[in-house]
Amino acid sequence: MKKLFDNTEVAFSIKSDSELERAYFLFKMIQNQPMVRIGTAVTNFALKAHLPVEGLIRSTVFDHFCGGVTEDDCLPVIKKMYQKGKVHSILDYSVEGKEEEESFDDALAKTLKTINFADEKQSIPYAVFKPTGFGRFHLYQKLSEGKTLDNDEQVEWNRVVERYHTVCKLAVDKDVPLLIDAEESWMQTAADNLIEELMEIYNKEKAIVFNTLQMYRHDRMQYLKELHKRAQEKDYYIGMKVVRGAYMEKERDRAEEKGYESPICKDKQATDDNYNEAIKYMMENSKMALFAGTHNEESSYLLMDLAKQHNVASNDMRLWFGQLYGMSDHISYNLAKEGYNVAKYLPFGPVRDVMPYLIRRAEENTSVAGQTSRELNLLKTERKRRKL
C-alpha cells in the first residue's frame, strides 16, 4: 500500500502530453524562488497598469491552478476529472480582498449558485465560501478581540449573519454540505463562534455546515475537543475540514511585530503531529464528518488505515480527501482509483481578481520544503514512462 502514490500513470491519466509538459515547465519555474518573487512583482505591475497580460496568465498559471472564469467555464474540467479519474470538484470562487457590500452580495449569489450546481451534479459534492467573502475583515477582528461593535457595524454584522443563514438554509434544503474556510487567527474566533451557532441549528440530523481547522495553530486540537463537548451536550453533528494552513508567514510576522506568542506550531513536525492527532480524534468519535484537506502522503496513508480500523467504508460520505486543483494529482487520482471519496478544490473567477490566490499558491509551493521537487519528480517519471 505504501507505494500507492507512486503510480504516475494513474496520477496523470487525464493529462495530455502538452498539459504534462506545461505542468513540468510551471513547477520548474516555481522551484526558482527569485523567479517567483520577480514574476509576482511583474505580474502585479502589469495588471495594475492594465497591460494586456491576461491571455498569457490564462494560458499558463491560471489554467493549471484554476477551472475557469465562470462556473460554466469550469464544466469541461469538472466532467473530465469525474469521468476519467473518478475525482469530484468543489467550485471555489477565489476572488479575495474585496470589501464592499456589493461584492459580499455577489459572493453570496455565487455561493447559492454553486449549491444549486452541486445539487444538480454528482461530480460536485460540496459548496464552499470564505468568511471574508461575506463581510469585512475588520468586523470579524473586532468581535474576535472581544470589542463591541458600534450601531452601524452591528447593522452591518447582522447582514453578514443573514448571508450565512441564507446559504445554510439552501444547503440543508438541497442536502449539499457547505465548507467554510478558515482565515487569519486574529479574526477567526468570530467566524468560529458564528459557525458553531450554525452547526447547532443546521447539523441536527447530519453534518451540513463544516468549519475549518488550520492545524499549524497549536491551539486547534484543544478547540476541537471543547467543541466536541459542546456538540455532545447540545446534540448536533460536527463537520470539519482539517488542513495544515495557509497564512504561516503572515501569522509569524504579525505575532513578532505586535509582541505576542505566535499561534503557529514550532516546526513542521509539530504541525504534522497536530494534523494527524486531529484526524485520529475525528475518526474515533461518532457524529463527526471529516473533509481531510491534505497534500501529505503520510497523513493520507494514516487516514486510510484509520478508516479500516474503524470500519468506515472507503465510499462513506462522512469521509472525504481533498486537494487543490493543479497539485498532488498522485494522491487524488490514486485514492479515487481505490474507491475513496476525493475532491479537488477548483478555483474560478476573473483572471485579475484570482491573482492573489495564484500568487499565494506559487509562494506556498516555493516555501513548503520538498513540495515542488516532489511534483517535478513525479512529472519527470511520467514523461519518461510515456516516452518508453
Side-chain angles (χ1 to χ4, degrees):
M1 185 54 86
K2 291 288 181 206
K3 291 288 175 197
L4 176 68
F5 299 140
D6 294 345
N7 189 332
T8 61
E9 186 178 357
V10 170
F12 301 115
S13 56
I14 77 161
K15 275 196 186 344
S16 66
D17 289 350
S18 62
E19 286 167 336
L20 196 72
E21 290 305 318
R22 182 184 66 190
Y24 184 73
F25 166 76
L26 270 177
F27 282 109
K28 270 296 234 199
M29 299 283 278
I30 288 170
Q31 196 177 33
N32 185 327
Q33 259 176 328
M35 184 78 83
V36 169
R37 276 198 297 273
I38 294 162
T40 297
V42 169
T43 304
N44 279 334
F45 170 77
L47 288 170
K48 278 179 186 137
H50 295 280
L51 299 177
V53 291
E54 290 193 20
L56 176 64
I57 295 166
R58 174 94 210 237
S59 61
T60 52
V61 65
F62 184 91
D63 278 355
H64 182 82
F65 289 111
C66 299
V69 173
T70 65
E71 299 93 333
D72 290 320
D73 216 6
C74 296
L75 286 174
V77 177
I78 292 167
K79 191 175 175 185
K80 189 175 169 186
M81 286 201 292
Y82 189 62
Q83 289 184 347
K84 289 192 176 178
K86 300 190 188 77
V87 169
H88 299 73
S89 300
I90 297 170
L91 282 166
D92 183 15
Y93 185 55
S94 296
V95 172
E96 300 181 1
K98 300 215 168 184
E99 293 242 302
E100 309 80 38
E101 287 296 301
E102 189 186 348
S103 68
F104 301 142
D105 288 336
D106 186 40
L108 170 63
K110 289 280 181 200
T111 310
L112 294 171
K113 191 172 178 184
T114 57
I115 292 171
N116 285 315
F117 241 63
D119 176 44
E120 291 158 14
K121 297 191 184 322
Q122 214 177 351
S123 51
I124 307 174
Y126 286 85
V128 64
F129 71 92
K130 281 167 78 79
T132 52
F134 282 10
R136 279 192 306 134
F137 190 101
H138 171 74
L139 296 177
Y140 290 99
Q141 183 176 347
K142 204 167 169 181
L143 287 166
S144 296
E145 290 167 352
K147 293 175 183 167
T148 306
L149 302 180
D150 66 31
N151 288 341
D152 288 345
E153 288 171 334
Q154 188 58 55
V155 169
E156 196 183 337
W157 179 251
N158 292 344
R159 282 200 296 271
V160 176
V161 173
E162 188 52 43
R163 288 184 190 108
Y164 276 79
H165 280 286
T166 302
V167 289
C168 289
K169 282 170 187 162
L170 185 65
V172 169
D173 186 40
K174 300 289 186 184
D175 195 19
V176 172
L178 192 59
L179 300 169
I180 304 170
D181 286 339
E183 299 185 62
E184 290 89 338
S185 61
W186 58 97
M187 61 72 73
Q188 188 60 39
T189 302
D192 288 341
N193 292 342
L194 174 53
I195 296 163
E196 195 172 323
E197 286 170 23
L198 297 167
M199 281 189 194
E200 197 185 325
I201 297 167
Y202 299 106
N203 288 4
K204 284 296 186 191
E205 289 174 27
K206 64 175 179 177
I208 287 283
V209 179
F210 281 64
N211 198 358
T212 299
L213 290 177
Q214 299 193 97
M215 298 313 295
Y216 66 3
R217 281 182 58 176
H218 48 66
D219 65 347
R220 294 290 83 185
M221 199 55 226
Q222 190 56 37
Y223 170 75
L224 176 61
K225 287 175 178 172
E226 286 165 4
L227 172 67
H228 185 210
K229 261 190 214 135
R230 294 190 291 270
Q232 284 175 311
E233 282 161 16
K234 294 177 178 175
D235 193 29
Y236 61 86
Y237 287 77
I238 290 174
M240 204 59 85
K241 179 172 70 153
V242 181
V243 299
R244 277 168 170 79
Y247 304 91
M248 188 164 67
E249 305 303 326
K250 202 193 269 193
E251 291 280 1
R252 285 193 171 135
D253 290 349
R254 187 178 190 269
E256 195 176 329
E257 182 197 322
K258 302 221 177 259
Y260 59 85
E261 187 203 350
S262 169
I264 304 298
C265 292
K266 66 179 192 300
D267 54 30
K268 185 174 185 305
Q269 188 56 55
T271 300
D272 289 344
D273 293 344
N274 211 26
Y275 186 95
N276 292 342
E277 195 187 339
I279 60 175
K280 274 182 194 160
Y281 186 85
M282 288 195 69
M283 293 298 284
E284 283 162 6
N285 287 289
S286 60
K287 297 192 81 165
M288 289 196 186
L290 169 62
F291 184 98
T294 183
H295 292 199
N296 184 289
E297 293 169 17
E298 290 311 311
S299 294
S300 302
Y301 283 129
L302 171 64
L303 192 46
M304 292 162 80
D305 289 342
L306 288 166
K308 288 190 181 79
Q309 273 174 45
H310 297 288
N311 297 315
V312 175
S314 58
N315 63 351
D316 190 310
M317 296 306 276
R318 293 168 302 170
L319 174 62
W320 281 79
F321 291 81
Q323 289 79 40
L324 297 166
Y325 181 67
M327 290 163 67
S328 301
D329 287 346
H330 67 302
I331 294 178
S332 311
Y333 289 94
N334 282 301
L335 277 173
K337 193 165 192 292
E338 291 295 308
Y340 287 93
N341 296 318
V342 181
K344 287 281 202 188
Y345 252 59
L346 191 62
F348 74 97
V351 175
R352 64 177 54 247
D353 292 338
V354 173
M355 277 318 293
Y357 168 85
L358 289 172
I359 287 163
R360 213 169 60 240
R361 284 289 79 81
E363 286 169 347
E364 181 184 288
N365 272 283
T366 325
S367 65
V368 176
Q371 188 146 288
T372 306
S373 29
R374 181 184 66 182
E375 295 281 357
L376 273 171
N377 287 335
L378 290 158
L379 289 159
K380 260 185 215 163
T381 304
E382 180 58 10
R383 283 164 97 216
K384 207 178 284 178
R385 190 197 67 78
R386 288 189 188 187
K387 275 174 190 154
L388 289 171

